Amino acid sequence: MKWLHKDLLDVSQLSRAEVMAIFETAGRFQELQQRPVKKVPTLKGRSVILFFAEPSTRTKTSFDVAGKRLSADTFSLAKSSSSLTKGETLKDTALTLQAMAPDAIVLRHWCSGAARFLARRVECSVINAGDGRHAHPTQALLDSFTLHQEWGEVAGKTILILGDIAHSRVARSNVILLNKLGATVRLCAPRTLLPPQVRSWPATVYSDLCEAVRGVDAVMCLRLQLERQQDGLLPDLREYARTYGLGPRHVELAKSEVKILHPGPMNRGVEINSELADCADSLILDQVASGVVVRMALLFLYMTRKGE
C-alpha cells in the first residue's frame, strides 16, 4: 500500500485497510525482536525528534527504541529542557524544530489539538503521542494489534473499557478504532468519570461493573489519576477499588479466557487486582512489546511515504 498520510493525529483519519497495513508491517517487525542484533538500516540517516511536553516513560521509551532499531537518529526534547519553560509559544517552537529539518516529530502535549497545530506548521511528519484529553492514536493501535495477534480477528468481539473515561485520551481513541475494526465496545465508570456527551459515543455505557463485564471477551482497564479524589470526583479510593476495581469475581462473569489489558502505569489494588494483572490471560506485557513494533511500523510508513 502506498502511504498517503503526512501525519498521524487520530485514528479516525485511518481506513480499516490502512489499519491492517500498519498491523501487517508491525507483524513483520516482530521477527526482528527475536534476533541477537535487533537493528536494521531501514531509516539510516533519518532523524526523529521526540518532543514530550508532558511526562512519559513508556511511550517515549517505546518510540526511542523503535527509532533506534530502524537505525534512525532520535533526539529527545522535554518541556523542562525546552524554551516552553521560558515563555516561548508552541508556534515558535514549531518553527525552530522545522529549521532543524527533521524527518518526523513525535509530540506529546497537555493541550488538545497541539499535534494538529504543529502539523500545520512543519513540513515533516507529526505523530501524535497524546494531546490533552483528545487522542492517543498509537496506544489504540498497539492495543488493537495486541488483540489482533491474540485472536486473529477483532471483529465480533466485545471489549469493555473500564475506569476514568472522562479524562482518558486512550479511551476515546480505542472506542473509535475498535468500532472501525468491527468490535462491540462497552464503557463502565462512575458518573463523575464519564464525559458529558458519552451517550453519543458508539458504545454501551454501564454504571454497574458486574453487568458491564458479563460475557465480554476482553477488559481494558484505564489508569486512575489519583488527583481525581482531590478534585472531588471520587469519595474514596478504597470505595472506588471495591466498586470499579477489576477483581476475580468480575472475571468469572466474563467469557472464559477473557483477556486483560492496561495501558500502564498500573495502580495495583485500585484499578485492577494484582493477581489478575499477572495472570496467564493478562496481555499487559504483550502491549508493551506490541508498542515497539507498532511504532516501528508507523515510523517506517510515515518516514518513507514518498516511496523513497
Side-chain angles (χ1 to χ4, degrees):
M1 175 181 288
K2 186 177 180 181
W3 200 255
L4 301 177
H5 297 286
K6 170 183 171 287
D7 310 298
L8 176 60
L9 307 178
D10 197 359
V11 291
S12 59
Q13 70 191 83
L14 301 173
S15 68
R16 189 182 189 281
E18 288 168 337
V19 172
M20 298 313 296
I22 292 170
F23 287 0
E24 181 182 353
T25 307
R28 293 177 179 176
F29 283 130
Q30 278 186 320
E31 183 270 333
L32 180 66
Q33 307 290 77
Q34 311 302 322
R35 296 183 188 178
V37 179
K38 301 174 178 62
K39 196 166 187 176
V40 290
T42 311
L43 296 180
K44 187 174 182 180
R46 308 293 181 96
S47 59
V48 183
I49 294 178
L50 307 178
F51 182 14
F52 279 66
E54 262 190 344
S56 171
T57 300
R58 286 166 174 74
T59 303
K60 185 176 182 180
T61 302
S62 183
F63 266 112
D64 194 26
V65 171
K68 285 180 166 63
R69 288 188 176 172
L70 292 171
S71 297
D73 297 316
T74 62
F75 305 92
S76 294
L77 178 64
K79 178 187 176 183
S80 59
S81 59
S82 74
S83 294
L84 290 176
T85 58
K86 303 175 184 178
E88 182 177 78
T89 65
L90 183 58
K91 177 182 177 180
D92 289 327
T93 301
L95 295 175
T96 300
L97 295 176
Q98 173 64 40
M100 297 179 187
D103 296 287
I105 299 173
V106 178
L107 175 69
R108 168 166 289 187
H109 201 279
W110 66 83
C111 182
S112 298
R116 184 176 299 276
F117 181 90
L118 184 66
R120 289 174 176 172
R121 287 160 176 79
V122 297
E123 296 176 4
C124 67
S125 293
V126 172
I127 297 178
N128 185 3
D131 60 334
R133 301 179 188 177
H134 171 237
H136 197 342
T138 67
Q139 182 67 48
L141 285 165
L142 75 88
D143 290 341
S144 287
F145 176 76
T146 303
L147 293 172
H148 178 79
Q149 291 291 102
E150 184 70 22
W151 292 329
E153 183 63 66
V154 178
K157 301 293 186 179
T158 301
I159 292 104
L160 169 64
I161 302 178
L162 170 65
D164 186 358
I165 309 293
H167 304 90
S168 176
R169 54 195 171 209
V170 174
R172 285 168 170 78
S173 292
N174 266 300
V175 168
I176 295 170
L177 184 56
L178 289 170
N179 272 279
K180 194 184 294 284
L181 296 176
T184 299
V185 182
R186 298 179 183 179
L187 303 175
C188 184
R191 292 182 181 180
T192 54
L193 296 181
L194 288 171
Q197 305 300 323
V198 70
R199 299 292 175 181
S200 65
W201 292 17
T204 306
V205 181
Y206 293 82
S207 58
D208 186 332
L209 179 52
C210 290
E211 287 298 317
V213 79
R214 198 176 299 275
V216 301
D217 297 284
V219 180
M220 185 182 300
C221 300
L222 299 175
R223 183 173 71 91
L224 179 69
Q225 296 181 12
L226 301 183
E227 57 266 29
R228 300 304 168 215
Q229 185 180 356
Q230 300 172 0
D231 294 341
L233 299 178
L234 295 173
D236 181 74
L237 287 180
R238 184 176 298 177
E239 176 67 15
Y240 178 88
R242 187 182 69 82
T243 311
Y244 291 98
L246 188 68
R249 65 190 177 95
H250 303 118
V251 171
E252 292 176 1
L253 298 172
K255 288 186 179 178
S256 60
E257 299 183 354
V258 59
K259 303 307 174 186
I260 298 167
L261 301 93
H262 195 301
M266 291 183 289
N267 293 308
R268 290 176 181 257
V270 178
E271 305 139 0
I272 185 172
N273 174 276
S274 188
E275 292 181 6
L276 287 183
D278 300 325
C279 74
D281 290 316
S282 170
L283 299 180
I284 295 172
L285 293 181
D286 297 78
Q287 289 173 271
V288 178
S290 293
V292 175
V293 294
V294 166
R295 285 160 179 145
M296 287 175 70
L298 292 170
L299 290 176
F300 170 75
L301 289 169
Y302 281 88
M303 293 172 69
T304 62
R305 69 187 189 281
K306 297 179 181 177
E308 298 171 358

